[in-house]
């Protein structure tokens, strides 16, 4: 059976963590590993995580708490410890839209019918945006294409990080670049897809909403800095001219 590793990064996240833990707890898919990588929280986060570990007898739960150098350093720590066939980052406040989300992904993408070396490099899906209380607001504005490639992100991050399931062997060989403070997730997804293209591996659309993403986050709070950094990421992968003209189109599109 294909094993999913869910990695949740936390730091003083007690106010929003419970809905994330509940959504993993109630997943009907059996082979799930849940890594909670905590940055030495001082609120009730660790107590909440430990209570959840006692309750979740169906899935393997690992909790690691220590100071880190930021969210992407914590994500790299999670990748180092992960042991599944696929990894997805579901951070505090984000959650699966239904108890059978992972089961539906495995079924729709035939993951349990394929040999491990033939599994898609990436499985991806749609995302819903929720408010700070976890209430549905709207589908994410950027929608995943029918056929995703590493070049697709020239048009923006068409697949949300929480809706991007990377095959573990590729993920472990593609660490997050901690020089970026806000956009290492964009860079990481592009590099994973680029490696998939080099190896001739598929990127598979699950045709399913696979994540609920909380609107307020680090990138939202630091919007201008994030945009500047994301521009540098795009230049790194797609070149100056392509990135410049695509951003001109982004500006024009927002004015229409």
């Amino acid at each position: 059976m294909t094993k999913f590793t869910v990695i949740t990064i936390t730091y003083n996240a007690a106010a929003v963590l419970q809905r994330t833990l509940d959504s993993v707890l109630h997943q009907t898919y059996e082979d799930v590993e849940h890594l909670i990588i905590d940055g030495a929280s001082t609120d009730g986060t660790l107590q909440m995580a430990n209570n959840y570990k006692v309750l979740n007898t169906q899935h393997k739960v690992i909790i690691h708490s220590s100071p880190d150098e930021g969210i992407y350093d914590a994500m790299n720590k999670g990748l180092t410890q992960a042991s599944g066939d696929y990894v997805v980052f579901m951070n505090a406040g984000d959650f699966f839209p239904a108890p059978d989300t992972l089961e539906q992904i495995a079924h729709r993408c035939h993951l349990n019918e394929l040999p491990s070396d033939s599994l898609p490099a990436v499985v991806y899906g749609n995302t819903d945006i929720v408010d700070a209380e976890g209430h549905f607001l709207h589908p994410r504005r950027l929608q995943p294409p029918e056929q995703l490639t590493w070049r697709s992100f020239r048009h923006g991050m068409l697949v949300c990080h929480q809706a991007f399931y990377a095959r573990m062997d590729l993920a472990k060989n593609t660490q997050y670049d901690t020089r970026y403070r806000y956009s290492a997730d964009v860079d990481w997804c592009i590099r994973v897809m680029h490696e998939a293209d080099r190896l001739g591996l598929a990127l598979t659309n699950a045709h399913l909403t696979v994540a609920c993403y909380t609107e307020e986050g680090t990138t939202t709070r630091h919007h201008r800095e994030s945009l500047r950094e994301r521009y540098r990421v795009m230049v790194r992968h797609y070149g100056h001219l392509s990135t410049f003209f695509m951003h001109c189109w982004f500006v024009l599109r927002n004015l229409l």
Side-chain angles (χ1 to χ4, degrees), residues 110-127:
H110 309 288
L111 300 184
N112 291 323
E113 302 167 24
L114 297 169
S116 58
D117 59 354
S118 297
L119 288 170
V122 175
V123 172
Y124 62 97
N126 295 72
T127 305

Side-chain angles (χ1 to χ4, degrees), residues 164-190:
F164 188 95
Y165 291 67
R167 213 171 81 171
M168 190 66 74
D169 53 347
L170 277 71
K172 281 182 176 288
N173 290 329
T174 313
Q175 295 279 296
Y176 287 84
D177 189 336
T178 56
R179 292 175 297 177
Y180 298 119
R181 294 183 62 195
Y182 310 111
S183 300
D185 53 346
V186 183
D187 171 72
W188 181 77
C189 289
I190 294 171

Side-chain angles (χ1 to χ4, degrees), residues 212-250:
C212 293
Y213 171 69
T214 305
E215 187 173 49
E216 179 63 29
T218 301
T219 301
T220 307
R221 292 194 301 271
H222 301 275
H223 185 62
R224 183 170 295 181
E225 300 99 314
S226 172
L227 289 177
R228 290 195 185 107
E229 188 175 89
R230 187 167 297 196
Y231 189 91
R232 295 198 300 273
V233 169
M234 305 291 271
V235 168
R236 173 182 178 181
H237 292 288
Y238 305 122
H240 285 280
L241 279 178
S242 176
T243 301
F244 174 76
F245 285 117
M246 284 306 304
H247 278 72
C248 288
W249 163 240
F250 295 158

Side-chain angles (χ1 to χ4, degrees), residues 9-115:
I9 308 300
T10 61
Y11 179 68
N12 290 344
V16 296
L17 178 60
Q18 192 62 55
R19 63 174 175 262
T20 308
L21 301 180
D22 288 344
S23 79
V24 181
L25 173 67
H26 295 124
Q27 286 301 299
T28 55
Y29 194 83
E30 292 183 5
D31 208 351
V32 177
E33 172 184 72
H34 192 187
L35 303 183
I36 300 170
I37 309 298
D38 181 72
S41 291
T42 56
D43 64 352
T45 296
L46 282 175
Q47 185 60 54
M48 188 177 291
N50 283 312
N51 291 342
Y52 158 75
K53 183 176 181 177
V54 172
L55 285 174
N56 195 343
T57 57
Q58 181 179 355
H59 308 133
K60 181 180 180 181
V61 178
I62 299 171
I63 302 169
H64 176 85
S65 183
S66 64
D68 56 53
E69 300 299 321
I71 188 169
Y72 298 120
D73 178 51
M75 288 178 176
N76 282 337
K77 288 182 180 180
L79 285 177
T80 300
Q81 299 180 52
S83 65
D85 298 294
Y86 284 94
V87 61
V88 63
F89 288 86
M90 194 65 66
N91 292 332
D94 305 326
F95 54 96
F96 296 106
D100 66 345
T101 297
L102 292 177
E103 195 168 342
Q104 284 292 322
I105 291 170
H107 172 70
R108 287 169 178 252
C109 301
H110 309 288
L111 300 184
N112 291 323
E113 302 167 24
L114 297 169

